[in-house]
Amino acid sequence: MKKIGVRVIAFFLSIAMLFPALASAGTSTPGLPLRIEINGEKVTEFSKEPFFDENDVVFVPLSFLSDSLHMRVEQSGNEIIIIYDRKKLEFKSGETLYRVNGKAGQFKTASVVKEETLFIPLQGICEAFGITYKWDGLVNTSYLIWNGEPDPDVILPIPAPVSSDVSLQQDQLNGNLADFGHVASTDKYHFYVKQSIKQDVLYRYDLKTKQTKQIASGESIYNLVPYGEWLYFLGDNPGSGSHDAFSLYKIKMDGTKKSIVGKKNDLARVFVIDKGWIYFGNWQDQQRLYKMKLDGSGLKKLGDVEVGRLQIRGDWLIAADWNDVYIYTTAGQKIAEFYLRGRNMTVIGDNLRMSGFSGEITTIPLKAGSLLQDTLKIKSADVLTQVNEIDIEVINYKNNIAYMYFRGTSHIYKMALDDEPKPVPFVTIPKSGSVQEIQIAGNYMYYTVIYTKDGHRIIKRELYRVSLVGQVKPEKLYTVNQ
C-alpha cells in the first residue's frame, strides 16, 4: 500500500538520493516547464497552473494545499488559515508576516493574486510546517519531503484488546452506520427499512424461515443497532419543532414494547451502543458528544466535538465533525484530533478508513504509534472509461473487501484492499438509477437504488438484497414511487 504525500518514512532513509545536484536560487533553465514532486511523485493536477518568478520563488494556487498536501484551508476575504499536523498557520494575502500556533514568522515573498486566484509561496508554506523543500533549477523542479518525525501529542496509546467476535460485529455496525444504518443483523435476523417520503417501515427477515415481518413504522427510521433483546433506532419526534430532531427508540425484536429511551429532549442524529451505554451527539447541546445508560439515566457530556459521524472500536469512540476527526475513550478522555478529508468515515478492525474524493481510500491504523496515513489510489480502466473523475459515492466493507459505487457508473464494484487495487463489477445497477446506500448484513448486501428528476429530486427508490457468496441474482425487496 502506497504512502501519501507528506508523511512517508521510507524517503527519510535516503533523501540525498533524490537531490543529486541541486542548483542554487536564480539558476532556472529557460524553456523547461515547472515541475513539483512530493516524495518522488510528480503532481499532475492543479486548479490553476503554478509558476515561478525571476528569483525562482515557486507559487502554487491556495487549493494545492488541500488537494495535494491534504491540509485544511480556510479563507475569509484576505485572511487565510491553514491547519495541518496540529499546526495552525495564519496570514493575510499580500503580506509576508504570519503566525504558527501564535508564534510570529515571515515569508520571504508575499502571496499574489493572479487571474482572480490567490497563489502562495510554496517554500514559505513548507518551512512553516516543517516540510523539507528543495529547488533544482537545472530541471525547474521543486521537491517536497516530510521530515519523518510525528508530533508526540498525536501518538496513540496502546488500545484495549478487542475480541474477534466483537470486532466483526463492530465492523458491520460501523459500516452500516456510515451509510445511514437502514440495515442491521443478528445471527437470526436481518432488519431493514422501507424508505419513503411519507412513512418508513421496519421489517424483520428471519434467516431460518425466510419469512419477512413488519415490526414498526414511523415518519423516519434509521441508525438500526441491535443490542441484547432489543433493536434500537432513531425515529421522528412529533412536536419537537425541528425536522432534523430525532428521538432514540427501542423495540423488542418481535415488534412489541416500542418506547422512547431517555427524555424526549435528549435528541440525537447519530449513536452507538457498547457495554450498556449509549454514545450519541446531543441535539440539545449542538450535537456535542454525550453518553447515557440504556434506560436513559446517567446522562454525561464527554466532549465538545460537534458529532456528525460516530464510530466505535473497543473502548475508543471515533467522532467526526465536518472537518476534523477526534478519538475519545468511552470514559471521555480525548486521545487525538486530526484533519482527514473525505465523505465516508468507517472504522474496520484496527483501521479508520476515509474515502470519497478522487478515487482515494485513506487509512489510519488505530494501534499504538503515530497517526501515519496510507492512501490507496484506485485506478482501473474499467472505471475510468465511464467517468471523468473517480468519485466514490458510497462504500462499505466486508473483511478485506471494499464494495463501492462510483458516481456515474452502472455497477457496484468489489475490490480487495491490497497494494494493487483493481475494482471489478459485482452487480449491475438498473438503467438511469444510482446507488445511495450499501449495507452489509452477515453474508448479504442490501443496496438502495434511487432515480431522480432534474438531477436531484428523488422520484423512485428501490431496495435490493444479494448474497456476497457465489453468483446469485439480486432480489428486489420493494419499489417506492415518491
Side-chain angles (χ1 to χ4, degrees):
M1 188 176 291
K2 196 164 50 178
K3 300 284 186 180
I4 69 168
V6 294
R7 279 195 169 187
V8 183
I9 295 178
F11 285 91
F12 173 69
L13 300 175
S14 185
I15 292 178
M17 296 178 64
L18 289 175
F19 314 121
L22 296 179
S24 61
T27 58
S28 59
T29 302
L32 286 182
L34 174 63
R35 179 186 178 102
I36 297 175
E37 291 188 5
I38 301 175
N39 291 335
E41 294 188 13
K42 179 182 177 182
V43 181
T44 59
E45 295 183 4
F46 302 91
S47 60
K48 291 292 181 65
E49 285 301 312
F51 63 91
F52 60 96
D53 64 14
E54 65 277 2
N55 297 316
D56 293 345
V57 176
V58 175
F59 291 87
V60 295
L62 183 63
S63 60
F64 171 83
L65 301 181
S66 57
D67 294 341
S68 297
L69 296 182
H70 305 280
M71 295 179 173
R72 173 179 165 187
V73 178
E74 299 177 1
Q75 181 176 9
S76 178
N78 67 338
E79 296 183 353
I80 313 299
I81 296 176
I82 303 170
I83 300 173
Y84 179 76
D85 200 26
R86 302 189 67 79
K87 294 179 181 178
K88 183 177 183 180
L89 171 65
E90 301 173 88
F91 63 96
K92 293 182 179 181
S93 59
E95 298 183 6
T96 58
L97 296 178
Y98 68 78
R99 302 185 73 85
V100 175
N101 291 347
K103 185 177 180 180
Q106 187 170 12
F107 298 129
K108 295 179 181 179
T109 307
S111 56
V112 297
V113 176
K114 183 179 179 181
E115 298 177 353
E116 299 182 349
T117 298
L118 179 64
F119 286 82
I120 44 124
L122 181 57
Q123 181 176 358
I125 298 296
C126 288
E127 290 175 349
F129 284 101
I131 300 172
T132 300
Y133 175 92
K134 299 292 183 180
W135 166 254
D136 187 349
L138 295 178
V139 289
N140 291 354
T141 300
S142 290
Y143 298 93
L144 278 63
I145 293 293
W146 176 244
N147 62 18
E149 296 181 3
D151 283 349
D153 54 353
V154 290
I155 293 180
L156 295 179
I158 298 176
V162 181
S163 70
S164 58
D165 290 341
V166 171
S167 179
L168 290 173
Q169 294 169 5
Q170 288 186 355
D171 288 356
Q172 192 169 106
L173 175 65
N174 287 339
N176 289 344
L177 294 184
D179 285 342
F180 302 105
H182 284 114
V183 173
S185 63
T186 66
D187 56 351
K188 295 181 179 180
Y189 305 115
H190 290 174
F191 299 93
Y192 65 87
V193 177
K194 178 181 179 180
Q195 303 174 62
S196 74
I197 196 170
K198 295 181 179 179
Q199 178 177 262
D200 285 356
V201 181
L202 175 61
Y203 291 96
R204 186 194 71 186
Y205 173 70
D206 192 308
L207 291 170
K208 184 176 181 180
T209 66
K210 309 300 182 185
Q211 298 296 311
T212 300
K213 176 184 178 181
Q214 176 180 333
I215 62 172
S217 62
E219 183 178 337
S220 179
I221 297 175
Y222 74 106
N223 237 91
L224 305 180
V225 179
Y227 192 85
E229 299 179 347
W230 298 86
L231 179 68
Y232 293 78
F233 63 90
L234 291 176
D236 58 290
N237 186 40
S240 67
S242 173
H243 176 71
D244 291 326
F246 296 89
S247 283
L248 178 60
Y249 287 84
K250 68 177 182 179
I251 190 173
K252 284 281 191 177
M253 294 187 181
D254 62 1
T256 62
K257 299 185 178 180
K258 177 183 175 183
S259 61
I260 290 179
V261 179
K263 300 177 181 179
K264 282 192 175 184
N265 61 358
D266 292 331
L267 306 174
R269 293 300 307 276
V270 292
F271 76 96
V272 294
I273 299 178
D274 183 60
K275 298 176 182 176
W277 288 89
I278 302 170
Y279 303 89
F280 64 103
N282 191 334
W283 185 264
Q284 292 296 327
D285 187 15
Q286 299 180 312
Q287 295 179 227
R288 304 304 186 193
L289 183 61
Y290 276 72
K291 73 175 182 179
M292 65 181 178
K293 294 182 180 179
L294 292 177
D295 61 3
S297 64
L299 184 67
K300 179 182 179 181
K301 185 175 182 178
L302 298 180
D304 285 325
V305 54
E306 181 181 343
V307 181
R309 291 169 286 186
L310 185 62
Q311 304 266 275
I312 189 167
R313 190 257 178 214
D315 61 354
W316 284 3
L317 298 169
I318 297 88
D321 58 18
W322 313 116
N323 296 298
D324 299 284
V325 176
Y326 304 80
I327 300 179
Y328 283 84
T329 66
T330 52
Q333 177 189 0
K334 183 179 176 181
I335 296 176
E337 172 188 346
F338 53 93
Y339 171 68
L340 190 59
R341 178 174 178 263
R343 175 184 292 120
N344 178 296
M345 183 189 81
T346 311
V347 175
I348 301 293
D350 290 327
N351 297 304
L352 183 157
R353 302 192 188 276
M354 185 74 81
S355 60
F357 307 110
S358 303
E360 294 182 350
I361 300 176
T362 301
T363 297
I364 291 184
L366 298 177
K367 297 180 179 180
S370 58
L371 292 172
L372 297 178
Q373 302 179 13
D374 293 342
T375 289
L376 199 62
K377 184 73 174 180
I378 299 170
K379 295 181 179 179
S380 170
D382 296 337
V383 177
L384 289 174
T385 55
Q386 300 180 59
V387 291
N388 296 324
E389 179 182 356
I390 299 179
D391 190 355
I392 303 174
E393 187 79 8
V394 191
I395 191 169
N396 209 329
Y397 304 87
K398 173 72 173 182
N399 299 328
N400 200 45
I401 302 294
Y403 296 89
M404 65 194 79
Y405 171 72
F406 301 96
R407 180 179 298 178
T409 60
S410 57
H411 292 85
I412 291 177
Y413 290 80
K414 63 183 295 186
M415 183 185 75
L417 297 174
D418 52 29
D419 289 335
E420 297 182 0
K422 180 177 176 59
V424 296
F426 179 62
V427 293
T428 302
I429 303 305
K431 187 177 180 181
S432 72
S434 61
V435 178
Q436 186 182 46
E437 300 177 16
I438 296 175
Q439 319 262 349
I440 305 296
N443 290 320
Y444 288 84
M445 173 196 294
Y446 288 73
Y447 60 96
T448 303
V449 177
I450 60 173
Y451 304 81
T452 59
K453 184 177 182 180
D454 302 325
H456 57 87
R457 184 170 66 88
I458 298 176
I459 59 174
K460 185 169 70 170
R461 190 187 304 269
E462 296 175 336
L463 179 66
Y464 292 83
R465 176 171 56 211
V466 63
S467 173
L468 298 177
V469 182
Q471 299 295 322
V472 180
K473 183 178 179 180
E475 173 189 5
K476 185 190 293 187
L477 299 179
Y478 71 77
T479 298
V480 172
N481 294 310
Q482 302 187 163

